[in-house]
Amino acid sequence: MSNQRKFKNLVINSKFQLRFTKWLFILFLALYVVLLLVGKWVIVDFLELLLSSPNVSPDTTMIAKGLMNDLPLITLALLALFSCFFAVASLLISHKIAGPLHNLSLHLDRMAESKKLEHLKLRENDLFKDIEAKFNNFLDSRK
């Protein structure tokens, strides 16, 4: 239950965070495809050059042919690994954006209900700490 609560707290604004993650993931995939095509072109050309060399040992030839055969599987494994890493990283980054905005929204709702002006307090590592300071300075000027 503790892990579920942590995940629930990680996804504060699901619509924004999932859209943010989706667009970053699309950017990642486009970049990955470009790098993959360039990398495959370089690696395959290098391996073909290596195999066409007259003084290559049989062991090197076997390794190079095996690498050429396994290149699609290696590529898929790297794509899966980087995709998982990128999905978690983009979720964490979007949390740093959505968290302060969510806290500000809740704080404004509480102030509207209680009719009391109260200082906003964001977490230490949140983004938009400058908004916290400006909001609190605005409240201080109203008192």
Side-chain angles (χ1 to χ4, degrees):
M1 177 137 158
S2 177
N3 288 339
Q4 186 179 19
R5 181 167 168 79
K6 285 181 182 180
F7 181 74
K8 184 178 179 186
N9 289 339
L10 185 63
V11 180
I12 293 171
N13 182 339
S14 61
K15 184 177 178 182
F16 164 74
Q17 287 183 270
L18 293 177
R19 192 173 343 131
F20 181 84
T21 301
K22 178 184 79 170
W23 284 112
L24 284 181
F25 192 72
I26 289 170
L27 177 66
F28 163 74
L29 283 178
L31 181 63
Y32 187 79
V33 167
V34 169
L35 291 175
L36 175 68
L37 291 175
V38 170
K40 185 175 180 185
W41 173 60
V42 169
I43 291 171
V44 169
D45 279 356
F46 173 75
L47 291 174
E48 286 175 351
L49 180 66
L50 183 67
L51 290 172
S52 67
S53 178
N55 54 354
V56 176
S57 70
D59 289 339
T60 304
T61 302
M62 185 177 70
I63 291 171
K65 286 182 179 180
L67 185 58
M68 286 182 78
N69 289 337
D70 292 339
L71 200 55
L73 184 61
I74 293 169
T75 301
L76 285 176
L78 286 174
L79 177 62
L81 180 71
F82 290 144
S83 297
C84 291
F85 171 77
F86 199 78
V88 170
S90 63
L91 194 58
L92 291 172
I93 291 168
S94 67
H95 177 77
K96 292 289 187 181
I97 296 168
L101 296 176
H102 179 71
N103 286 342
L104 177 61
S105 177
L106 291 176
H107 188 75
L108 291 171
D109 289 343
R110 281 193 304 268
M111 284 182 10
E113 285 177 15
S114 69
K115 307 285 190 229
K116 287 178 59 180
L117 300 179
E118 298 174 359
H119 279 198
L120 175 65
K121 180 70 176 132
L122 297 178
R123 295 172 299 203
E124 190 64 34
N125 294 326
D126 274 342
L127 296 177
F128 308 121
K129 291 295 276 185
D130 59 325
I131 291 177
E132 174 189 16
K134 289 176 184 180
F135 182 83
N136 292 336
N137 286 340
F138 172 75
L139 289 183
D140 291 340
S141 72
R142 292 287 179 201
K143 291 182 179 179

